[in-house]
Amino acid sequence: MTLDTPKYNLNKYPEVYEPSEDTFLLLDALEADTSFLLNLKPKIAVEIGSGSGVIITGLASLLKNSCLYFSTDINPQACLATQNTARLNGAPIECINMDLLLGFKNRMFDIILFNPPYVVTDSEELSGSGLNRAWAGGTNGREIIDRLSCNISDMLTPEGICYLLLLKENNPQEVVSGMKGLGFDSELVLQRKIPGEFLYVYKFFRRK
């Protein structure tokens, strides 16, 4: 199945990250994993930091109405943009303004999608909730990624999957090693070299 980029319009949302090569790589990873995702038969999925809403809407176009779809973003404009993208594509997605998944209580997901803020920056750039939060990753570009990793066991169902996009400068093997220590195995789904960046999409799942 071909996964086309969902329709979106960010004209009213200047503080929202425009879909770019990282967005399209994660969409391509979902397309490459279509058979796996359909066989997983997920009941509930979420995207962290949904921005434009293109990725979670793409997942919804793959899985149709067999699944409940949520997304979160710390940027209120991004939540509005995600809802608009969902509406443009007829996707049933609820977007909630929150940091990571901290607003969910006792809720676990079958699929977590995360294209995190991964650019190496000073930690001070992590403040606020505007456009800079879409890309500023702090030390090694890993500060937000590591926050997720520490809590992911409480977020995923026993059969749950997390798709995580990483930059070469994030030291992906350190992330893989850290997740292994938490009881998760990994699989490299796709990788792509683009001007100025080398990107990877990993799939994490509980060790059997």
Side-chain angles (χ1 to χ4, degrees):
M1 176 179 179
T2 299
L3 178 55
D4 295 326
T5 301
K7 294 177 289 186
Y8 66 94
N9 186 338
L10 300 183
N11 289 340
K12 296 181 180 179
Y13 314 106
E15 291 295 311
V16 175
Y17 181 75
E18 184 80 22
S20 190
E21 292 293 343
D22 51 347
T23 313
F24 304 136
L25 179 60
L26 189 44
L27 284 174
D28 288 346
L30 296 177
E31 179 182 348
D33 242 14
T34 296
S35 295
F36 170 83
L37 289 166
L38 292 174
N39 289 331
L40 183 65
K41 295 181 172 60
K43 301 301 183 190
I44 182 167
V46 65
E47 181 184 4
I48 302 170
S50 56
S52 66
V54 162
I55 294 171
I56 187 67
T57 302
L59 180 69
S61 74
L62 279 180
L63 301 179
K64 310 301 182 186
N65 294 328
S66 63
C67 188
L68 292 175
Y69 303 98
F70 293 92
S71 67
T72 73
D73 205 293
I74 199 169
N75 180 352
Q77 278 199 23
C79 294
L80 295 174
T82 293
Q83 293 287 185
N84 187 56
T85 298
R87 180 186 60 80
L88 288 173
N89 295 274
I93 298 165
E94 181 177 352
C95 188
I96 306 166
N97 183 207
M98 71 172 74
D99 182 15
L100 297 179
L101 299 176
L102 299 182
F104 288 104
K105 303 299 181 184
N106 303 315
R107 170 69 74 183
M108 302 181 81
F109 299 91
D110 299 306
I111 300 174
I112 294 175
L113 308 174
F114 196 22
N115 178 7
Y118 57 66
V119 177
V120 179
T121 66
D122 292 334
S123 296
E124 290 75 16
E125 295 192 44
L126 299 181
S127 61
S129 61
L131 185 57
N132 68 304
R133 290 302 302 269
W135 50 265
T139 304
N140 296 323
R142 284 258 302 277
E143 293 190 35
I144 307 300
I145 294 167
D146 289 345
R147 284 182 59 210
L148 172 71
S149 299
C150 290
N151 295 286
I152 198 166
S153 290
D154 298 326
M155 301 174 181
L156 280 175
T157 59
E159 302 298 322
I161 301 296
C162 176
Y163 290 89
L164 177 64
L165 188 141
L166 295 169
L167 180 70
K168 184 177 181 179
E169 285 77 8
N170 300 148
N171 299 314
Q173 286 307 310
E174 287 186 5
V175 177
V176 168
S177 179
M179 292 290 286
K180 186 174 183 179
L182 295 171
F184 286 85
D185 286 331
S186 64
E187 176 184 328
L188 178 60
V189 182
L190 280 181
Q191 58 183 318
R192 182 170 298 160
K193 185 178 178 64
I194 62 173
E197 292 185 333
F198 204 129
L199 300 170
Y200 308 82
V201 176
Y202 279 89
K203 178 169 65 177
F204 293 95
F205 45 93
R206 296 182 194 274
R207 188 175 306 120
K208 303 300 182 184

